[in-house]
Amino acid sequence: KMECNSGKGITGVVTLNQYDVICGRGALALKHPGNVAYRTFVRESKVIYATCLKQEKLRISKRIVASIRGLNGRFLVREDGKDSSFMDERDVNGNPVTWRNIGDKKAI
């Protein structure tokens, strides 16, 4: 049985770490090291995923999420719902953009 630390309830994240996966669109989500690592895990699982049963597909998805969590990565979305282009982005008032962890259910 595989369990993940969901990190649910974490809001107000200002500092992104290396293995955070940024949910959304834009340059930050494309180039952030955590997103690159996530896409690598997905690519490595692609062939087996395409040929296995539905129950095994869920296990593969959970394993990918657990791999990111094992690197202390989080699955984050901007709290204001917008997309980000760079790391130290600020809102219209000059405050740092804040993020929230979407938890494992949505990450899977």
Side-chain angles (χ1 to χ4, degrees):
K1 186 177 174 184
M2 195 174 304
E3 302 229 357
C4 300
N5 174 12
S6 70
K8 221 172 184 184
I10 298 175
T11 60
V13 175
V14 177
T15 306
L16 302 176
N17 75 40
Q18 180 179 1
Y19 290 107
D20 286 338
V21 175
I22 308 305
C23 301
R25 301 170 60 114
L28 184 60
L30 181 66
K31 297 178 182 179
H32 192 271
N35 291 59
V36 173
Y38 175 75
R39 286 194 304 273
T40 300
F41 289 132
V42 169
R43 193 174 321 115
E44 291 170 352
S45 303
K46 203 172 186 177
V47 172
I48 187 105
Y49 187 90
T51 60
C52 68
L53 299 173
K54 186 176 182 178
Q55 185 178 5
E56 184 62 23
K57 288 181 183 201
L58 181 58
R59 270 189 234 136
I60 291 168
S61 298
K62 286 181 177 182
R63 194 172 316 134
I64 292 169
V65 170
S67 296
I68 292 295
R69 296 277 189 214
L71 297 169
N72 292 319
R74 302 165 290 187
F75 290 82
L76 301 174
V77 64
R78 270 182 64 159
E79 288 189 314
D80 64 7
K82 297 179 181 176
D83 295 318
S84 284
S85 298
F86 52 93
M87 289 280 280
D88 299 321
E89 197 163 358
R90 296 191 171 269
D91 66 17
V92 292
N93 298 321
N95 299 314
V97 169
T98 55
W99 303 81
R100 71 175 166 82
N101 194 330
I102 64 170
D104 287 350
K105 256 188 173 177
K106 286 190 177 183
I108 293 170

